[in-house]
Amino acid sequence: MEDITLSQCLKGAWRDAASALRHMPVLFLLVFVAVLATGIAGYEVQLSAPASDAFLSSSMTAGGATQAAALGYSATSLGISFVQCLVLAALAVQVIRFAMTLNLEPGADSSTPSTRLWDAGFRRYFLLCIVLVAAYVAATIAVVIAWNGLRLAGLSSGTSMAAAATLAVLAVCGVSYVSARLSLLFPHTAAGGRLQWRAAWEATRGHFWVISTTALVAILPIVAIATVLSIIAEMLVAASSIGSLTVGLLVVQSVATLLYTATAATCSVWLYRKFGADLKAERE
């Protein structure tokens, strides 16, 4: 374990993210365009989706057609989310590899890491992303099923809602805990390592709060700036220009997403340096 303080980790993450932006402007620009395009597409799909009241009324007369339309909208939204996740994963992998070249340890292999967008490291990284996203989705579905079960059991709306909210908090905390314990796998797989689930779990034993706090503090300035810019955009744009407001907010969100992804990636590299000695030994 390297003797890296929280302050060093945060400063290093912010510095490396800024350096990655300076050295890979074309990549960031392409990802920004892709994220903005998928965001606009998702917004248009949301606008064109049938309202819940209309869905319920029309389902009585054209159940099959309505369900097929709803399924189509859901599939389109899922496809857009998948593309956005794929693009952001590609950015994160390249930023991680760049950050690792900036912080080589004495005696470490100084060879330039792979810059291919679709290699074994990226595939493992993206698989890890899919697994964790699927865990959050599964937790959400479980909470919805539990809430419906409580309603069918005859509990009042307030009681069932309170129970569902409690389950939701517990589910989010549980999945977040697992994500933090496996977080070292992100830089490890991006650098070409294998998905060593048990080794990553053992490497983060007793370090959950340090990892979570560091990651949260690293992205907190970006969240704060994005929130302020969103509020300013809402104040400057007239209510009649709702289209301009939407595009402006999507631009702010896209920029914030890029900065969040880059900073989280570089922060993971510093946490990997501090806690990932066993994983690095396996990769080497």
Side-chain angles (χ1 to χ4, degrees):
M1 179 186 299
E2 288 192 49
D3 186 17
I4 300 176
T5 64
L6 174 61
S7 176
Q8 289 176 321
C9 184
L10 293 175
K11 292 179 181 178
W14 293 329
R15 182 183 63 247
D16 292 349
S19 182
L21 178 59
R22 289 195 305 269
H23 285 80
M24 297 185 292
V26 176
L27 176 62
F28 275 85
L29 179 60
L30 291 175
V31 173
F32 167 75
V33 172
V35 172
L36 180 60
T38 53
I40 294 175
Y43 177 74
E44 292 178 348
V45 169
Q46 184 179 2
L47 287 180
S48 60
S52 57
D53 294 339
F55 173 79
L56 291 175
S57 60
S58 60
S59 62
M60 298 179 182
T61 57
T66 304
Q67 291 177 3
L71 183 61
Y73 285 116
S74 300
T76 303
S77 299
L78 183 61
I80 292 173
S81 300
F82 179 84
V83 171
Q84 193 171 81
C85 182
L86 183 67
V87 171
L88 291 175
L91 174 65
V93 168
Q94 295 303 318
V95 171
I96 287 173
R97 291 172 177 175
F98 174 80
M100 284 186 168
T101 62
L102 296 179
N103 302 283
L104 289 175
E105 302 173 16
D109 184 10
S110 59
S111 59
T112 303
S114 173
T115 57
R116 295 174 57 189
L117 293 179
W118 189 262
D119 56 8
F122 174 77
R123 289 193 295 270
R124 296 184 188 118
Y125 184 98
F126 189 60
L127 175 61
L128 178 61
C129 294
I130 294 299
V131 169
L132 293 181
V133 170
Y136 278 102
V137 173
T140 302
I141 294 175
V143 171
V144 172
I145 292 175
W147 178 67
N148 287 325
L150 293 174
R151 293 292 301 274
L152 293 175
L155 295 180
S156 63
S157 177
T159 302
S160 60
M161 185 63 69
T166 302
L167 289 175
V169 171
L170 293 176
V172 170
C173 291
V175 178
S176 298
Y177 176 79
V178 173
S179 300
R181 292 294 303 273
L182 297 176
S183 59
L184 296 184
L185 285 177
F186 285 106
H188 181 68
T189 54
R194 297 183 179 276
L195 284 168
Q196 300 290 329
W197 305 96
R198 183 183 296 275
W201 190 268
E202 292 296 329
T204 55
R205 183 181 299 277
H207 305 304
F208 167 75
W209 290 112
V210 175
I211 292 174
S212 301
T213 302
T214 304
L216 179 62
V217 175
I219 65 173
L220 200 57
I222 300 173
V223 175
I225 293 173
T227 302
V228 172
L229 291 178
S230 299
I231 295 175
I232 293 176
E234 292 179 358
M235 294 174 60
L236 293 179
V237 179
S240 58
S241 304
I242 189 65
S244 300
L245 173 61
T246 301
V247 174
L249 291 177
L250 287 174
V251 170
V252 172
Q253 292 174 3
S254 299
V255 173
T257 300
L258 259 66
L259 296 178
Y260 162 80
T261 301
T263 305
T266 54
C267 182
S268 71
V269 172
W270 281 85
L271 291 172
Y272 184 64
R273 290 182 58 191
K274 183 174 179 62
F275 300 117
D278 294 339
L279 286 171
K280 285 186 286 186
E282 176 273 330
R283 180 167 58 88
E284 295 169 358

